[in-house]
Amino acid sequence: MSLDKIDKEILNFLQDDAKITTKALSNHLQLSLTAIHERIKKMERNGVIKKYVALVNPKKAERDFKVLCHVKLILHKKQNIQKFEREIAKLDEVLECMHVSGDYDYILKVQVKDMLSYREFVLHKLTTIEPVGSTQSTFIIDDVKHSTRLKF
């Protein structure tokens, strides 16, 4: 799907506030309610808009201990890669998992309550996944910039 200027403007508004009404978008963009509604539905059908979420404040939810965990697999076989990815997708502590090039195979963004919770995660969950060979953890001191927004 090719996005035109209006689609991009709609996406910018929705990324700032997913609860913005069709009427408010209509007023901002000087388009009819129907036109706005149809454009949003088209972007949803085509997968441009994947879903709508609430962004939770990690401090208020007691999940503000953030770690980038680098993972190296024992052996690079298709079965190991698939097994690791299947198992890691089940872990609630893992917010993101990226298959990367370089010294490590994966980088995980893990978010838990505290250091003890992270230790429990590593000992009882992460390192029990059979293809995991080694890990290295980098603890996040502060988020200098954090965004979920793609600017159009």
Side-chain angles (χ1 to χ4, degrees):
M1 175 180 174
S2 180
L3 300 174
D4 66 14
K5 183 180 180 218
I6 294 170
D7 292 330
K8 290 175 183 178
E9 288 183 49
I10 291 170
L11 289 172
N12 283 331
F13 278 109
L14 288 173
Q15 288 181 99
D16 285 337
D17 179 7
K19 292 178 79 174
I20 190 169
T21 64
T22 308
K23 182 174 180 167
L25 284 170
S26 172
N27 290 336
H28 284 298
L29 301 173
Q30 300 298 304
L31 290 171
S32 72
L33 291 169
T34 303
I36 296 290
H37 179 76
E38 288 174 1
R39 283 174 175 269
I40 291 172
K41 288 299 173 196
K42 183 178 178 185
M43 287 188 282
E44 290 171 348
R45 277 192 311 274
N46 286 299
V48 174
I49 298 173
K50 290 173 31 175
K51 64 181 176 178
Y52 299 90
V53 298
L55 298 177
V56 177
N57 182 332
K59 287 182 182 171
K60 302 280 185 183
E62 297 183 331
R63 296 289 185 278
D64 62 334
F65 191 77
K66 294 174 236 167
V67 183
L68 295 179
C69 180
H70 297 71
V71 177
K72 190 179 288 190
L73 300 184
I74 294 170
L75 189 60
H76 295 96
K77 292 184 350 188
K78 182 179 180 180
Q79 304 94 291
N80 284 355
I81 290 169
Q82 290 173 334
K83 181 176 184 177
F84 175 80
E85 290 178 0
R86 232 184 357 261
E87 294 301 314
I88 213 72
K90 296 175 188 175
L91 302 178
D92 293 331
E93 297 89 346
V94 178
L95 299 183
E96 297 179 46
C97 174
M98 294 148 285
H99 195 175
V100 297
S101 63
D103 291 337
Y104 288 89
D105 301 310
Y106 292 90
I107 299 175
L108 310 178
K109 180 179 177 188
V110 179
Q111 201 150 340
V112 292
K113 182 178 181 179
D114 53 23
M115 178 66 84
L116 180 60
S117 300
Y118 182 68
R119 182 178 191 277
E120 293 296 312
F121 164 76
V122 171
L123 288 176
H124 300 290
K125 294 183 179 182
L126 182 60
T127 58
T128 63
I129 299 173
E130 193 174 312
V132 172
S134 64
T135 65
Q136 179 181 333
S137 301
T138 303
F139 303 103
I140 307 301
I141 295 169
D142 192 18
D143 285 322
V144 175
K145 179 181 179 181
H146 173 81
S147 180
T148 60
R149 189 179 204 275
L150 299 176
K151 180 70 174 159
F152 293 100

